[in-house]
Each structure stands twice: as structure tokens, then as C-alpha cells.
Amino acid sequence: MNWGACFRGSVHLSPHLMGANTLLGNDVYNTQEESLGDIKEIMLSMHNGRVAYAVLSFGGFLGMGEKLFAVSWSALKLDTVNKRFVLDASKERLKDAPGFDKDSWPDMADSTWEKGIHDYYGTQPYVDPRC
């Protein structure tokens, strides 16, 4: 991905506004500089139009045995210097995180599941201040 100024048609993109597909495949590291995997999917809330989760792959080799995790978008920080995302979680913590395999996704609309994800990463779901 081109993290500097880039052009798609006549639209100027920057780290402040990016197309979701440009984020897929981006690396995710922790604050200890360990690779945690990469972003496989971006999940949008159809209720409020905001990014809810990034689906992160972790572990495995050549796609075999990898585990997927929904990580609250607010838990990820953009690192423009190293051109990656940072998640403040150790590899050990991520190994124990609620995850799923590519053929068995959870019901991400389930409020109990959502609460569990936010509790695990210490984040809060987005609440529209107009409501």
C-alpha cells in the first residue's frame, strides 16, 4: 500500500482517509515489535456506518491453521512511519483471545459476542452522541 500521498482517479488519499481494500493485508504488530499477523477483513456497522472491527489473522503457515480474531477498530493504531497497525496485546494474550476459523464466523451482530470482544481488548463500542 502507498502510505504517502496517492491518487485513485481524481481522489487524493492519505492516512486520514483510505479505501478499505487498501488496508487489507496490512501487517499488525504489537508494542513489543512482534508480528501479530495481518488484516484479512474490515467489518462495517450497517447500523451506524462506522468501522466496527478488523479481522486479524494470526498463526498458521501458508493459510493453514491460522486463527481469525475480530479486533475492535479502536484498539488498532496506525503507524505511518513503519506502514503498519499496532495492537497493544502480547502474542500470548492474542493466543487466548476469542477467535474463530475461516469457515465458522461468529454472529458479529450478537450483543453478547460484541461485549466479549470489547471487554477482552478494553475498548468501548462506538455510541452515536446524537442518540
Side-chain angles (χ1 to χ4, degrees):
M1 172 170 84
N2 181 353
W3 287 71
C6 61
F7 294 87
R8 180 172 297 153
S10 62
V11 178
H12 179 262
L13 302 175
S14 74
H16 300 286
L17 182 63
M18 301 177 127
N21 67 336
T22 64
L23 302 174
L24 300 181
N26 278 270
D27 293 329
V28 178
Y29 277 70
N30 63 19
T31 55
Q32 293 79 37
E33 298 291 321
E34 298 172 311
S35 175
L36 298 179
D38 64 290
I39 295 177
K40 293 294 186 193
E41 193 64 74
I42 304 289
M43 305 304 293
L44 303 174
S45 168
M46 300 314 291
H47 175 68
N48 61 27
R50 298 182 67 87
V51 175
Y53 304 100
V55 175
L56 171 68
S57 72
F58 176 74
F61 180 71
L62 299 175
M64 301 296 290
E66 76 181 354
K67 189 174 175 184
L68 300 177
F69 302 89
V71 176
S72 172
W73 188 249
S74 63
L76 294 167
K77 305 297 179 231
L78 181 61
D79 177 354
T80 57
V81 172
N82 295 304
K83 301 176 181 160
R84 62 189 181 195
F85 286 91
V86 175
L87 175 64
D88 189 11
S90 68
K91 280 188 170 187
E92 291 72 32
R93 180 145 174 83
L94 196 58
K95 286 177 187 175
D96 295 332
F100 53 97
D101 67 49
K102 66 181 179 177
D103 297 320
S104 182
W105 284 52
D107 177 3
M108 294 183 177
D110 176 44
S111 60
T112 302
W113 179 87
E114 179 184 33
K115 182 179 179 335
I117 295 299
H118 286 288
D119 287 350
Y120 194 83
Y121 292 104
T123 56
Q124 296 293 318
Y126 174 77
V127 177
D128 191 332
R130 297 172 294 174
C131 298

